[in-house]
Amino acid sequence: MSTLVLALIAGAVVGLALGALGGGGSVLTVPALIYLLGFTPAAATTASLIIVTVTSATSLYSHAVSGNVRWRTGLLFAAAGIPAALAAAALAARLPPQLLTAAFAAVAGLAAVRMLKSPAYEDGFRPVRPVRAAGAGAGLGAVTGFLGVGGGFLAVPALVGVLGLRMRAAIGTSLLVITVNSLAALTVRTGGSAPLDWAVVAPFTGAAVLGAWDGRRLTAAVTGPVLQRIFAVVLLCVAAFMLADTIR
């Protein structure tokens, strides 16, 4: 199968995940770029941020039109995450790729386990607490910068578990957080990164954007608890695969 076809298929799957689940895009993008398309870990994490930034920004629009974005909550998360994302991205550039891959797998696995153990996230909305929102946002920003991911796979459970958003509102709001955090991390990563293969990155991004629109329709047809379980299972499978690969 040609590289272009693989890029289009992988991009469509990532877009579906990002549009439907408000996260999981990066956690699927990085292994796809490494294991399917031959990117190095450093190039994959940088390319992933570009792909997920564009895809999440376009998907954010449709969620906002539907009223599923909590702007104040998302902006608090994003503002708190920017300094942490910048600092963590600078630190990650000094660490070996194997360590970053193992950390990536561990964080994704922990997020999956938390969501599987949590009750169905349909309990209603709690008032936003700025201190808790800022603290969680800083942590998500650090993960974005350190692992080269948008952070949506942690943003959704944080927005639900910490701030009490309903699942669909958490999905929409997480896209705002992903966009801002990814842009911040890119300002550090693109400065000293190796040239990217745009013949792969561009079609991957285009397919992801189109897939995200279909993913948005999926959220209207599937209940919050089902989305939560799908999200957790996908994360757990990817985490197990990547962790197994690092210890071979």
Side-chain angles (χ1 to χ4, degrees):
M1 189 177 295
S2 71
T3 300
L4 176 60
V5 173
L6 285 173
L8 291 172
I9 293 173
V13 172
V14 166
L16 281 171
L18 194 65
L21 303 174
S26 293
V27 87
L28 297 175
T29 301
V30 171
L33 289 170
I34 294 173
Y35 300 112
L36 294 180
L37 299 168
F39 279 51
T40 65
T45 53
T46 301
S48 170
L49 286 171
I50 295 171
I51 293 164
V52 175
T53 297
V54 174
T55 308
S56 60
T58 55
S59 186
L60 173 63
Y61 172 77
S62 62
H63 282 267
V65 169
S66 300
N68 289 328
V69 179
R70 301 292 179 263
W71 293 98
R72 183 187 174 200
T73 302
L75 290 173
L76 281 169
F77 262 70
I82 290 173
L86 294 173
L91 174 62
R94 304 173 184 271
L95 298 177
Q98 294 84 355
L99 179 59
L100 293 177
T101 302
F104 186 103
V107 170
L110 288 173
V113 169
R114 176 178 177 180
M115 292 198 77
L116 285 172
K117 288 185 175 180
S118 298
Y121 290 148
E122 294 288 347
D123 295 331
F125 178 75
R126 290 195 292 269
V128 175
R129 298 179 181 179
V131 173
R132 296 183 71 184
L140 290 168
V143 170
T144 298
F146 189 71
L147 300 180
V149 299
F153 63 98
L154 292 176
V156 172
L159 289 167
V160 173
V162 175
L163 298 175
L165 297 188
R166 292 182 181 273
M167 187 63 178
R168 287 189 177 87
I171 290 170
T173 304
S174 75
L175 292 167
L176 173 61
V177 179
I178 292 167
T179 302
V180 176
N181 282 350
S182 298
L183 282 172
L186 272 173
T187 63
V188 174
R189 284 183 170 266
T190 55
S193 63
L196 297 177
D197 186 353
W198 288 102
V200 173
V201 175
F204 195 120
T205 305
V209 169
L210 294 176
W213 287 96
D214 289 331
R216 172 65 187 89
R217 297 189 189 99
L218 185 61
T219 63
V222 182
T223 63
V226 172
L227 285 175
Q228 178 184 323
R229 294 187 196 101
I230 294 172
F231 192 10
V233 170
V234 169
L235 287 180
L236 199 57
C237 291
V238 172
F241 176 81
M242 296 190 74
L243 189 59
D245 184 66
T246 61
I247 62 179
R248 279 195 307 188

